């Protein structure tokens, strides 16, 4: 069954998260995803708060930029969240935006090498293993979590290009596909992920889908498309009522997405209403 969620965009002030998360939880939304975009809001801090404010909502961080974070720290934070809120947490890692990484002095010569080393080490730590490695970027000497998760959690990787998609299939448990991914691109991504896979464990694919509803949805989405510089003919957004949005969700799901996460416009006038719309009106139609 397709999982439906929504994004709490970091362009909203952090103090708005509580009401949005509670609205999503009360309405029965499956998932709420948060971003750690530089230099807006912390992914771990917001995830912890959203989980504490809700009862059943699954919260994802998509994604943590690995050049900013020592892998042992990420493992400690992820493990703590998984033990505090078992079964309700998803964590994704990725290259990060290279311009942002350069701004903070964290850009590396080979982002692909770092992401590979980091993901392998992170998953091993979260399995409760004692890890020693001397990689190009990731160096650990007998590091072992004292409070690992009770069960090995899913680690997602954010991926766009072919090499990273294959790497996600090889080293991660799931893949995050950014907003602006067409349904056909989901199919191509699935094939590349499968090229990299070495086992038969299910690999989950999560895709963000730009969506808008309400009387000014078309105008807001047109501005959003300009903001992201999408070509006029790119089929990467949906506007309209619940039937229209649900139809788009089904198309992306049919293309291979296990979870479709609705991404509101950056100027959505009612974020609480958006998550209720997703849960109460779109979800029954998917």
């Amino acid at each position: 069954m397709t999982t439906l969620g929504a994004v709490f965009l970091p362009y909203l002030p952090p103090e708005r998260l509580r009401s949005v998360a509670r609205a999503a939880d009360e309405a029965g939304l499956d998932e709420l995803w948060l971003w750690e975009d530089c230099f807006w809001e912390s992914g771990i801090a917001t995830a912890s708060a959203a989980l504490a404010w809700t009862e059943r909502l699954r919260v994802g961080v998509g994604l943590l930029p690995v050049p900013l974070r020592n892998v042992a720290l990420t493992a400690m934070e992820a493990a703590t969240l998984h033990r505090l809120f078992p079964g309700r947490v998803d964590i994704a890692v990725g290259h990060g935006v290279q311009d942002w990484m350069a701004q903070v002095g964290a850009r590396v010569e080979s982002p692909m090498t770092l992401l590979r080393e980091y993901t392998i080490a992170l998953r091993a730590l979260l399995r409760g293993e004692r890890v020693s490695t001397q990689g190009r970027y990731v160096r650990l000497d007998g590091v072992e979590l004292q409070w690992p998760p009770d069960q090995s959690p899913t680690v997602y990787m954010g991926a766009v290009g072919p090499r990273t998609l294959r790497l996600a299939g090889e080293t991660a448990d799931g893949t995050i596909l950014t907003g602006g991914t067409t349904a056909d691109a989901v199919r191509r991504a699935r094939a590349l992920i499968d090229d990299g896979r070495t086992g038969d464990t299910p690999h989950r694919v999560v895709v963000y889908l730009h969506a808008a509803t309400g009387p000014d949805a078309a105008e807001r989405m047109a501005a959003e498309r300009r903001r992201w510089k999408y070509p006029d003919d790119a089929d990467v957004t949906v506007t309209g009522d619940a039937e229209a949005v649900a139809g788009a969700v089904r198309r992306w799901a049919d293309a291979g997405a296990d979870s479709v996460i609705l991404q509101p416009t950056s100027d959505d006038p009612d974020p609480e209403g958006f998550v209720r719309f997703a849960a109460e009106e779109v979800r029954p139609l998917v």
Side-chain angles (χ1 to χ4, degrees), residues 102-123:
Q103 276 185 276
V104 298
R107 186 168 183 168
V108 299
E109 185 177 356
S110 178
M112 186 71 70
T113 301
L114 170 58
L115 188 56
R116 174 187 293 276
E117 293 177 355
Y118 197 104
T119 305
I120 291 171
L122 178 61
R123 292 180 71 210

mmCIF file with all atom_site columns, all heavy atoms in Angstrom, residues 102-123:
data_model
loop_
_atom_site.group_PDB
_atom_site.id
_atom_site.type_symbol
_atom_site.label_atom_id
_atom_site.label_alt_id
_atom_site.label_comp_id
_atom_site.label_asym_id
_atom_site.label_entity_id
_atom_site.label_seq_id
_atom_site.pdbx_PDB_ins_code
_atom_site.Cartn_x
_atom_site.Cartn_y
_atom_site.Cartn_z
_atom_site.occupancy
_atom_site.B_iso_or_equiv
_atom_site.pdbx_formal_charge
_atom_site.auth_seq_id
_atom_site.auth_comp_id
_atom_site.auth_asym_id
_atom_site.auth_atom_id
_atom_site.pdbx_PDB_model_num
ATOM 1   N N   . ALA A 1 102 ? 30.458 24.364 1.009  1.00 0.00 ? 102 ALA A N   1
ATOM 2   C CA  . ALA A 1 102 ? 31.623 25.236 0.855  1.00 0.00 ? 102 ALA A CA  1
ATOM 3   C C   . ALA A 1 102 ? 31.534 26.437 1.790  1.00 0.00 ? 102 ALA A C   1
ATOM 4   O O   . ALA A 1 102 ? 32.548 26.893 2.334  1.00 0.00 ? 102 ALA A O   1
ATOM 5   C CB  . ALA A 1 102 ? 31.747 25.693 -0.589 1.00 0.00 ? 102 ALA A CB  1
ATOM 6   N N   . GLN A 1 103 ? 30.327 26.946 2.000  1.00 0.00 ? 103 GLN A N   1
ATOM 7   C CA  . GLN A 1 103 ? 30.153 28.105 2.879  1.00 0.00 ? 103 GLN A CA  1
ATOM 8   C C   . GLN A 1 103 ? 30.636 27.847 4.300  1.00 0.00 ? 103 GLN A C   1
ATOM 9   O O   . GLN A 1 103 ? 31.115 28.770 4.974  1.00 0.00 ? 103 GLN A O   1
ATOM 10  C CB  . GLN A 1 103 ? 28.671 28.510 2.941  1.00 0.00 ? 103 GLN A CB  1
ATOM 11  C CG  . GLN A 1 103 ? 28.204 29.405 1.811  1.00 0.00 ? 103 GLN A CG  1
ATOM 12  C CD  . GLN A 1 103 ? 26.777 29.832 2.032  1.00 0.00 ? 103 GLN A CD  1
ATOM 13  O OE1 . GLN A 1 103 ? 25.842 29.114 1.680  1.00 0.00 ? 103 GLN A OE1 1
ATOM 14  N NE2 . GLN A 1 103 ? 26.584 30.995 2.615  1.00 0.00 ? 103 GLN A NE2 1
ATOM 15  N N   . VAL A 1 104 ? 30.488 26.614 4.755  1.00 0.00 ? 104 VAL A N   1
ATOM 16  C CA  . VAL A 1 104 ? 30.862 26.300 6.139  1.00 0.00 ? 104 VAL A CA  1
ATOM 17  C C   . VAL A 1 104 ? 32.201 25.563 6.216  1.00 0.00 ? 104 VAL A C   1
ATOM 18  O O   . VAL A 1 104 ? 32.567 25.036 7.271  1.00 0.00 ? 104 VAL A O   1
ATOM 19  C CB  . VAL A 1 104 ? 29.760 25.470 6.835  1.00 0.00 ? 104 VAL A CB  1
ATOM 20  C CG1 . VAL A 1 104 ? 28.475 26.261 6.911  1.00 0.00 ? 104 VAL A CG1 1
ATOM 21  C CG2 . VAL A 1 104 ? 29.528 24.144 6.125  1.00 0.00 ? 104 VAL A CG2 1
ATOM 22  N N   . GLY A 1 105 ? 32.919 25.518 5.093  1.00 0.00 ? 105 GLY A N   1
ATOM 23  C CA  . GLY A 1 105 ? 34.226 24.882 5.097  1.00 0.00 ? 105 GLY A CA  1
ATOM 24  C C   . GLY A 1 105 ? 34.181 23.375 5.174  1.00 0.00 ? 105 GLY A C   1
ATOM 25  O O   . GLY A 1 105 ? 35.145 22.736 5.596  1.00 0.00 ? 105 GLY A O   1
ATOM 26  N N   . ALA A 1 106 ? 33.075 22.768 4.755  1.00 0.00 ? 106 ALA A N   1
ATOM 27  C CA  . ALA A 1 106 ? 32.911 21.317 4.890  1.00 0.00 ? 106 ALA A CA  1
ATOM 28  C C   . ALA A 1 106 ? 32.888 20.586 3.549  1.00 0.00 ? 106 ALA A C   1
ATOM 29  O O   . ALA A 1 106 ? 32.740 19.362 3.518  1.00 0.00 ? 106 ALA A O   1
ATOM 30  C CB  . ALA A 1 106 ? 31.624 21.005 5.649  1.00 0.00 ? 106 ALA A CB  1
ATOM 31  N N   . ARG A 1 107 ? 33.041 21.296 2.452  1.00 0.00 ? 107 ARG A N   1
ATOM 32  C CA  . ARG A 1 107 ? 32.994 20.646 1.139  1.00 0.00 ? 107 ARG A CA  1
ATOM 33  C C   . ARG A 1 107 ? 34.200 19.727 0.974  1.00 0.00 ? 107 ARG A C   1
ATOM 34  O O   . ARG A 1 107 ? 35.327 20.084 1.349  1.00 0.00 ? 107 ARG A O   1
ATOM 35  C CB  . ARG A 1 107 ? 32.974 21.700 0.036  1.00 0.00 ? 107 ARG A CB  1
ATOM 36  C CG  . ARG A 1 107 ? 32.774 21.126 -1.359 1.00 0.00 ? 107 ARG A CG  1
ATOM 37  C CD  . ARG A 1 107 ? 32.471 22.217 -2.355 1.00 0.00 ? 107 ARG A CD  1
ATOM 38  N NE  . ARG A 1 107 ? 32.207 21.689 -3.669 1.00 0.00 ? 107 ARG A NE  1
ATOM 39  C CZ  . ARG A 1 107 ? 31.687 22.389 -4.678 1.00 0.00 ? 107 ARG A CZ  1
ATOM 40  N NH1 . ARG A 1 107 ? 31.378 23.678 -4.491 1.00 0.00 ? 107 ARG A NH1 1
ATOM 41  N NH2 . ARG A 1 107 ? 31.457 21.833 -5.852 1.00 0.00 ? 107 ARG A NH2 1
ATOM 42  N N   . VAL A 1 108 ? 33.956 18.546 0.433  1.00 0.00 ? 108 VAL A N   1
ATOM 43  C CA  . VAL A 1 108 ? 35.027 17.571 0.252  1.00 0.00 ? 108 VAL A CA  1
ATOM 44  C C   . VAL A 1 108 ? 35.296 17.355 -1.222 1.00 0.00 ? 108 VAL A C   1
ATOM 45  O O   . VAL A 1 108 ? 34.461 17.664 -2.084 1.00 0.00 ? 108 VAL A O   1
ATOM 46  C CB  . VAL A 1 108 ? 34.672 16.226 0.928  1.00 0.00 ? 108 VAL A CB  1
ATOM 47  C CG1 . VAL A 1 108 ? 34.484 16.413 2.431  1.00 0.00 ? 108 VAL A CG1 1
ATOM 48  C CG2 . VAL A 1 108 ? 33.431 15.596 0.298  1.00 0.00 ? 108 VAL A CG2 1
ATOM 49  N N   . GLU A 1 109 ? 36.454 16.802 -1.520 1.00 0.00 ? 109 GLU A N   1
ATOM 50  C CA  . GLU A 1 109 ? 36.846 16.594 -2.911 1.00 0.00 ? 109 GLU A CA  1
ATOM 51  C C   . GLU A 1 109 ? 35.996 15.529 -3.589 1.00 0.00 ? 109 GLU A C   1
ATOM 52  O O   . GLU A 1 109 ? 35.671 15.632 -4.772 1.00 0.00 ? 109 GLU A O   1
ATOM 53  C CB  . GLU A 1 109 ? 38.327 16.201 -2.976 1.00 0.00 ? 109 GLU A CB  1
ATOM 54  C CG  . GLU A 1 109 ? 38.863 16.079 -4.393 1.00 0.00 ? 109 GLU A CG  1
ATOM 55  C CD  . GLU A 1 109 ? 40.343 15.757 -4.431 1.00 0.00 ? 109 GLU A CD  1
ATOM 56  O OE1 . GLU A 1 109 ? 40.973 15.703 -3.357 1.00 0.00 ? 109 GLU A OE1 1
ATOM 57  O OE2 . GLU A 1 109 ? 40.885 15.555 -5.536 1.00 0.00 ? 109 GLU A OE2 1
ATOM 58  N N   . SER A 1 110 ? 35.620 14.503 -2.839 1.00 0.00 ? 110 SER A N   1
ATOM 59  C CA  . SER A 1 110 ? 34.829 13.411 -3.411 1.00 0.00 ? 110 SER A CA  1
ATOM 60  C C   . SER A 1 110 ? 33.589 13.158 -2.559 1.00 0.00 ? 110 SER A C   1
ATOM 61  O O   . SER A 1 110 ? 33.609 12.317 -1.650 1.00 0.00 ? 110 SER A O   1
ATOM 62  C CB  . SER A 1 110 ? 35.661 12.121 -3.505 1.00 0.00 ? 110 SER A CB  1
ATOM 63  O OG  . SER A 1 110 ? 34.862 11.058 -4.012 1.00 0.00 ? 110 SER A OG  1
ATOM 64  N N   . PRO A 1 111 ? 32.494 13.876 -2.829 1.00 0.00 ? 111 PRO A N   1
ATOM 65  C CA  . PRO A 1 111 ? 31.258 13.643 -2.069 1.00 0.00 ? 111 PRO A CA  1
ATOM 66  C C   . PRO A 1 111 ? 30.766 12.203 -2.150 1.00 0.00 ? 111 PRO A C   1
ATOM 67  O O   . PRO A 1 111 ? 30.198 11.683 -1.182 1.00 0.00 ? 111 PRO A O   1
ATOM 68  C CB  . PRO A 1 111 ? 30.265 14.614 -2.719 1.00 0.00 ? 111 PRO A CB  1
ATOM 69  C CG  . PRO A 1 111 ? 31.103 15.671 -3.348 1.00 0.00 ? 111 PRO A CG  1
ATOM 70  C CD  . PRO A 1 111 ? 32.347 14.969 -3.810 1.00 0.00 ? 111 PRO A CD  1
ATOM 71  N N   . MET A 1 112 ? 30.999 11.541 -3.284 1.00 0.00 ? 112 MET A N   1
ATOM 72  C CA  . MET A 1 112 ? 30.541 10.165 -3.438 1.00 0.00 ? 112 MET A CA  1
ATOM 73  C C   . MET A 1 112 ? 31.278 9.226  -2.479 1.00 0.00 ? 112 MET A C   1
ATOM 74  O O   . MET A 1 112 ? 30.666 8.357  -1.841 1.00 0.00 ? 112 MET A O   1
ATOM 75  C CB  . MET A 1 112 ? 30.740 9.697  -4.874 1.00 0.00 ? 112 MET A CB  1
ATOM 76  C CG  . MET A 1 112 ? 30.177 8.334  -5.176 1.00 0.00 ? 112 MET A CG  1
ATOM 77  S SD  . MET A 1 112 ? 28.377 8.302  -5.215 1.00 0.00 ? 112 MET A SD  1
ATOM 78  C CE  . MET A 1 112 ? 28.083 9.220  -6.716 1.00 0.00 ? 112 MET A CE  1
ATOM 79  N N   . THR A 1 113 ? 32.584 9.415  -2.369 1.00 0.00 ? 113 THR A N   1
ATOM 80  C CA  . THR A 1 113 ? 33.358 8.577  -1.455 1.00 0.00 ? 113 THR A CA  1
ATOM 81  C C   . THR A 1 113 ? 32.902 8.789  -0.017 1.00 0.00 ? 113 THR A C   1
ATOM 82  O O   . THR A 1 113 ? 32.722 7.835  0.745  1.00 0.00 ? 113 THR A O   1
ATOM 83  C CB  . THR A 1 113 ? 34.855 8.885  -1.584 1.00 0.00 ? 113 THR A CB  1
ATOM 84  O OG1 . THR A 1 113 ? 35.274 8.641  -2.925 1.00 0.00 ? 113 THR A OG1 1
ATOM 85  C CG2 . THR A 1 113 ? 35.683 8.029  -0.636 1.00 0.00 ? 113 THR A CG2 1
ATOM 86  N N   . LEU A 1 114 ? 32.714 10.052 0.368  1.00 0.00 ? 114 LEU A N   1
ATOM 87  C CA  . LEU A 1 114 ? 32.248 10.347 1.715  1.00 0.00 ? 114 LEU A CA  1
ATOM 88  C C   . LEU A 1 114 ? 30.895 9.703  1.984  1.00 0.00 ? 114 LEU A C   1
ATOM 89  O O   . LEU A 1 114 ? 30.689 9.078  3.038  1.00 0.00 ? 114 LEU A O   1
ATOM 90  C CB  . LEU A 1 114 ? 32.147 11.860 1.920  1.00 0.00 ? 114 LEU A CB  1
ATOM 91  C CG  . LEU A 1 114 ? 31.441 12.330 3.209  1.00 0.00 ? 114 LEU A CG  1
ATOM 92  C CD1 . LEU A 1 114 ? 32.126 11.767 4.441  1.00 0.00 ? 114 LEU A CD1 1
ATOM 93  C CD2 . LEU A 1 114 ? 31.372 13.851 3.251  1.00 0.00 ? 114 LEU A CD2 1
ATOM 94  N N   . LEU A 1 115 ? 29.967 9.837  1.050  1.00 0.00 ? 115 LEU A N   1
ATOM 95  C CA  . LEU A 1 115 ? 28.625 9.299  1.267  1.00 0.00 ? 115 LEU A CA  1
ATOM 96  C C   . LEU A 1 115 ? 28.659 7.779  1.397  1.00 0.00 ? 115 LEU A C   1
ATOM 97  O O   . LEU A 1 115 ? 27.943 7.197  2.225  1.00 0.00 ? 115 LEU A O   1
ATOM 98  C CB  . LEU A 1 115 ? 27.697 9.730  0.131  1.00 0.00 ? 115 LEU A CB  1
ATOM 99  C CG  . LEU A 1 115 ? 26.214 9.418  0.301  1.00 0.00 ? 115 LEU A CG  1
ATOM 100 C CD1 . LEU A 1 115 ? 25.660 10.014 1.590  1.00 0.00 ? 115 LEU A CD1 1
ATOM 101 C CD2 . LEU A 1 115 ? 25.416 9.938  -0.905 1.00 0.00 ? 115 LEU A CD2 1
ATOM 102 N N   . ARG A 1 116 ? 29.479 7.121  0.591  1.00 0.00 ? 116 ARG A N   1
ATOM 103 C CA  . ARG A 1 116 ? 29.608 5.658  0.685  1.00 0.00 ? 116 ARG A CA  1
ATOM 104 C C   . ARG A 1 116 ? 30.152 5.252  2.061  1.00 0.00 ? 116 ARG A C   1
ATOM 105 O O   . ARG A 1 116 ? 29.574 4.413  2.749  1.00 0.00 ? 116 ARG A O   1
ATOM 106 C CB  . ARG A 1 116 ? 30.537 5.142  -0.415 1.00 0.00 ? 116 ARG A CB  1
ATOM 107 C CG  . ARG A 1 116 ? 30.845 3.642  -0.303 1.00 0.00 ? 116 ARG A CG  1
ATOM 108 C CD  . ARG A 1 116 ? 31.894 3.226  -1.309 1.00 0.00 ? 116 ARG A CD  1
ATOM 109 N NE  . ARG A 1 116 ? 31.388 3.345  -2.654 1.00 0.00 ? 116 ARG A NE  1
ATOM 110 C CZ  . ARG A 1 116 ? 30.661 2.424  -3.260 1.00 0.00 ? 116 ARG A CZ  1
ATOM 111 N NH1 . ARG A 1 116 ? 30.336 1.298  -2.626 1.00 0.00 ? 116 ARG A NH1 1
ATOM 112 N NH2 . ARG A 1 116 ? 30.247 2.600  -4.501 1.00 0.00 ? 116 ARG A NH2 1
ATOM 113 N N   . GLU A 1 117 ? 31.273 5.851  2.445  1.00 0.00 ? 117 GLU A N   1
ATOM 114 C CA  . GLU A 1 117 ? 31.887 5.495  3.721  1.00 0.00 ? 117 GLU A CA  1
ATOM 115 C C   . GLU A 1 117 ? 30.944 5.785  4.888  1.00 0.00 ? 117 GLU A C   1
ATOM 116 O O   . GLU A 1 117 ? 30.835 4.993  5.834  1.00 0.00 ? 117 GLU A O   1
ATOM 117 C CB  . GLU A 1 117 ? 33.189 6.280  3.904  1.00 0.00 ? 117 GLU A CB  1
ATOM 118 C CG  . GLU A 1 117 ? 34.289 5.903  2.920  1.00 0.00 ? 117 GLU A CG  1
ATOM 119 C CD  . GLU A 1 117 ? 35.537 6.754  3.098  1.00 0.00 ? 117 GLU A CD  1
ATOM 120 O OE1 . GLU A 1 117 ? 35.522 7.698  3.931  1.00 0.00 ? 117 GLU A OE1 1
ATOM 121 O OE2 . GLU A 1 117 ? 36.535 6.478  2.399  1.00 0.00 ? 117 GLU A OE2 1
ATOM 122 N N   . TYR A 1 118 ? 30.280 6.917  4.811  1.00 0.00 ? 118 TYR A N   1
ATOM 123 C CA  . TYR A 1 118 ? 29.396 7.372  5.886  1.00 0.00 ? 118 TYR A CA  1
ATOM 124 C C   . TYR A 1 118 ? 28.202 6.440  6.045  1.00 0.00 ? 118 TYR A C   1
ATOM 125 O O   . TYR A 1 118 ? 27.860 6.035  7.165  1.00 0.00 ? 118 TYR A O   1
ATOM 126 C CB  . TYR A 1 118 ? 28.923 8.781  5.540  1.00 0.00 ? 118 TYR A CB  1
ATOM 127 C CG  . TYR A 1 118 ? 28.337 9.588  6.663  1.00 0.00 ? 118 TYR A CG  1
ATOM 128 C CD1 . TYR A 1 118 ? 29.075 10.609 7.255  1.00 0.00 ? 118 TYR A CD1 1
ATOM 129 C CD2 . TYR A 1 118 ? 27.036 9.395  7.108  1.00 0.00 ? 118 TYR A CD2 1
ATOM 130 C CE1 . TYR A 1 118 ? 28.550 11.395 8.264  1.00 0.00 ? 118 TYR A CE1 1
ATOM 131 C CE2 . TYR A 1 118 ? 26.497 10.169 8.116  1.00 0.00 ? 118 TYR A CE2 1
ATOM 132 C CZ  . TYR A 1 118 ? 27.261 11.176 8.691  1.00 0.00 ? 118 TYR A CZ  1
ATOM 133 O OH  . TYR A 1 118 ? 26.730 11.953 9.686  1.00 0.00 ? 118 TYR A OH  1
ATOM 134 N N   . THR A 1 119 ? 27.554 6.099  4.942  1.00 0.00 ? 119 THR A N   1
ATOM 135 C CA  . THR A 1 119 ? 26.349 5.265  5.006  1.00 0.00 ? 119 THR A CA  1
ATOM 136 C C   . THR A 1 119 ? 26.674 3.874  5.525  1.00 0.00 ? 119 THR A C   1
ATOM 137 O O   . THR A 1 119 ? 25.944 3.309  6.352  1.00 0.00 ? 119 THR A O   1
ATOM 138 C CB  . THR A 1 119 ? 25.687 5.184  3.624  1.00 0.00 ? 119 THR A CB  1
ATOM 139 O OG1 . THR A 1 119 ? 25.437 6.510  3.135  1.00 0.00 ? 119 THR A OG1 1
ATOM 140 C CG2 . THR A 1 119 ? 24.377 4.421  3.686  1.00 0.00 ? 119 THR A CG2 1
ATOM 141 N N   . ILE A 1 120 ? 27.784 3.306  5.062  1.00 0.00 ? 120 ILE A N   1
ATOM 142 C CA  . ILE A 1 120 ? 28.182 1.977  5.538  1.00 0.00 ? 120 ILE A CA  1
ATOM 143 C C   . ILE A 1 120 ? 28.457 2.010  7.041  1.00 0.00 ? 120 ILE A C   1
ATOM 144 O O   . ILE A 1 120 ? 28.001 1.136  7.796  1.00 0.00 ? 120 ILE A O   1
ATOM 145 C CB  . ILE A 1 120 ? 29.420 1.485  4.759  1.00 0.00 ? 120 ILE A CB  1
ATOM 146 C CG1 . ILE A 1 120 ? 29.037 1.194  3.298  1.00 0.00 ? 120 ILE A CG1 1
ATOM 147 C CG2 . ILE A 1 120 ? 30.011 0.245  5.415  1.00 0.00 ? 120 ILE A CG2 1
ATOM 148 C CD1 . ILE A 1 120 ? 30.225 0.910  2.393  1.00 0.00 ? 120 ILE A CD1 1
ATOM 149 N N   . ALA A 1 121 ? 29.178 3.026  7.495  1.00 0.00 ? 121 ALA A N   1
ATOM 150 C CA  . ALA A 1 121 ? 29.498 3.122  8.922  1.00 0.00 ? 121 ALA A CA  1
ATOM 151 C C   . ALA A 1 121 ? 28.248 3.387  9.754  1.00 0.00 ? 121 ALA A C   1
ATOM 152 O O   . ALA A 1 121 ? 28.074 2.799  10.835 1.00 0.00 ? 121 ALA A O   1
ATOM 153 C CB  . ALA A 1 121 ? 30.533 4.221  9.146  1.00 0.00 ? 121 ALA A CB  1
ATOM 154 N N   . LEU A 1 122 ? 27.373 4.267  9.274  1.00 0.00 ? 122 LEU A N   1
ATOM 155 C CA  . LEU A 1 122 ? 26.160 4.596  10.020 1.00 0.00 ? 122 LEU A CA  1
ATOM 156 C C   . LEU A 1 122 ? 25.285 3.366  10.207 1.00 0.00 ? 122 LEU A C   1
ATOM 157 O O   . LEU A 1 122 ? 24.785 3.101  11.320 1.00 0.00 ? 122 LEU A O   1
ATOM 158 C CB  . LEU A 1 122 ? 25.392 5.697  9.291  1.00 0.00 ? 122 LEU A CB  1
ATOM 159 C CG  . LEU A 1 122 ? 24.062 6.123  9.913  1.00 0.00 ? 122 LEU A CG  1
ATOM 160 C CD1 . LEU A 1 122 ? 24.271 6.686  11.318 1.00 0.00 ? 122 LEU A CD1 1
ATOM 161 C CD2 . LEU A 1 122 ? 23.360 7.158  9.016  1.00 0.00 ? 122 LEU A CD2 1
ATOM 162 N N   . ARG A 1 123 ? 25.081 2.617  9.165  1.00 0.00 ? 123 ARG A N   1
ATOM 163 C CA  . ARG A 1 123 ? 24.231 1.426  9.278  1.00 0.00 ? 123 ARG A CA  1
ATOM 164 C C   . ARG A 1 123 ? 24.845 0.404  10.227 1.00 0.00 ? 123 ARG A C   1
ATOM 165 O O   . ARG A 1 123 ? 24.134 -0.238 11.011 1.00 0.00 ? 123 ARG A O   1
ATOM 166 C CB  . ARG A 1 123 ? 24.002 0.811  7.901  1.00 0.00 ? 123 ARG A CB  1
ATOM 167 C CG  . ARG A 1 123 ? 23.143 1.670  6.981  1.00 0.00 ? 123 ARG A CG  1
ATOM 168 C CD  . ARG A 1 123 ? 22.949 1.009  5.633  1.00 0.00 ? 123 ARG A CD  1
ATOM 169 N NE  . ARG A 1 123 ? 22.078 -0.136 5.732  1.00 0.00 ? 123 ARG A NE  1
ATOM 170 C CZ  . ARG A 1 123 ? 22.151 -1.211 4.931  1.00 0.00 ? 123 ARG A CZ  1
ATOM 171 N NH1 . ARG A 1 123 ? 23.090 -1.272 4.000  1.00 0.00 ? 123 ARG A NH1 1
ATOM 172 N NH2 . ARG A 1 123 ? 21.306 -2.201 5.089  1.00 0.00 ? 123 ARG A NH2 1
#
